[in-house]
Amino acid sequence: MRLITCFARFRQSPFSALVLPVILPFLLMPLATELSVRLLREEGYVYLIYLPLAMYIGMLLVFDWLAIPGIFLVLCLYYFPRYDHFQAVVIISATLLAVSLGWKGYKVHAGKRWRANYGGLSLMQVRLLWLAFLTSTIFILIMQLVAWSGIIASEGTVFPSGLFTLNTLLNFQSLFLSCVTMIQVFYYAIRCMRKPRFARVVWSRMKKQAAAVSGYELMVWSVLLITLLVVLTISHKDKESLLVSDYGMPLMLPLMLWSAMRFGHLFTSFSGLCC
């Protein structure tokens, strides 16, 4: 209770608007990195979904340009211990450049409406264009230039030296998929951390989207989802099982479509993160 009270007092202080954008990336970056899925290949490893980029954009949606210092500091903390100083500076600069260009383009295109509710449809096309597709594309192109220059070794790393390669395609897919599906989750989570009362707004929106759903239907959906997750987890130990291959994960699609149509996009997004 003391911790909650101290946080509430800090949030009401005039310094919170400047300190929170710096503190939150240090809390969210380990979570985003841990939940990101990597695949090890002979040419190096690739990401199947890369969540830190969605976290950066979620910070910008809440704090605007005030989020950049916190993102810069957490990138320094993450990359300097893993690369030499020059390589770390290049990677950090490339990341900030891609995020900043995508964010600036979004604000120019959206105009004064850029702060509109993220779940609304009025700016969906603009957000998909700038915050998902173009930001991911710019990031991949910049990192390709870095890999081509030889500053960072391409073998055994996540930076493939070829634009039209499978590794590059998978990395782009991981960035784009992360931005499409997870920006909204980070956006609402960060807003709730900034103003805990906003959690009531999120809850009311989820209830409104699923107004015609009965508790029985939700229970049936939950049981099917848990059963499928248990089956996929158990089958993962058997390398000869078809469920371990690409035939396993598409079984989630009918349940996610059911959730999106009946329970709403907010519930589906948060349940997808839990899965």
Side-chain angles (χ1 to χ4, degrees), residues 36-173:
S36 297
V37 181
R38 294 195 302 180
L39 174 66
L40 183 63
R41 304 183 72 247
E42 294 181 358
E43 302 84 355
Y45 65 89
V46 295
Y47 279 99
L48 299 181
I49 183 167
Y50 184 71
L51 297 180
L53 183 61
M55 186 270 288
Y56 305 150
I57 298 175
M59 289 289 300
L60 288 167
L61 283 167
V62 177
F63 297 106
D64 199 9
W65 293 111
L66 290 175
I68 292 296
I71 296 174
F72 169 74
L73 292 176
V74 79
L75 287 173
C76 292
L77 181 65
Y78 183 81
Y79 283 111
F80 272 105
R82 291 169 173 80
Y83 297 89
D84 63 45
H85 289 178
F86 181 68
Q87 291 176 337
V89 168
V90 171
I91 298 174
I92 293 170
S93 300
T95 304
L96 290 177
L97 179 61
V99 171
S100 299
L101 288 176
W103 181 248
K104 180 63 177 179
Y106 165 69
K107 289 192 67 176
V108 171
H109 195 167
K112 297 181 179 180
R113 300 180 300 158
W114 70 271
R115 288 184 179 273
N117 175 32
Y118 192 83
L121 298 178
S122 60
L123 291 176
M124 186 59 64
Q125 295 179 348
V126 178
R127 284 165 175 159
L128 286 176
L129 175 64
W130 284 103
L131 302 183
F133 177 74
L134 289 179
T135 300
S136 303
T137 302
I138 294 171
F139 184 82
I140 288 293
L141 292 177
I142 294 176
M143 295 314 300
Q144 280 297 304
L145 291 176
V146 173
W148 174 79
S149 66
I151 297 175
I152 300 175
S154 59
E155 296 183 0
T157 66
V158 76
F159 307 106
S161 59
L163 183 61
F164 301 102
T165 62
L166 179 59
N167 280 22
T168 303
L169 176 61
L170 290 175
N171 283 329
F172 173 78
Q173 176 182 287

Side-chain angles (χ1 to χ4, degrees), residues 161-207:
S161 59
L163 183 61
F164 301 102
T165 62
L166 179 59
N167 280 22
T168 303
L169 176 61
L170 290 175
N171 283 329
F172 173 78
Q173 176 182 287
S174 70
L175 294 174
F176 183 72
L177 180 63
S178 171
C179 292
V180 170
T181 60
M182 299 307 298
I183 287 179
Q184 178 177 234
V185 176
F186 281 107
Y187 168 75
Y188 282 116
I190 293 168
R191 284 203 63 178
C192 290
M193 293 178 184
R194 185 185 183 187
K195 293 184 178 180
R197 291 183 180 179
F198 186 73
R200 297 180 181 179
V201 178
V202 177
W203 177 249
S204 64
R205 290 176 181 176
M206 291 177 62
K207 291 175 61 177

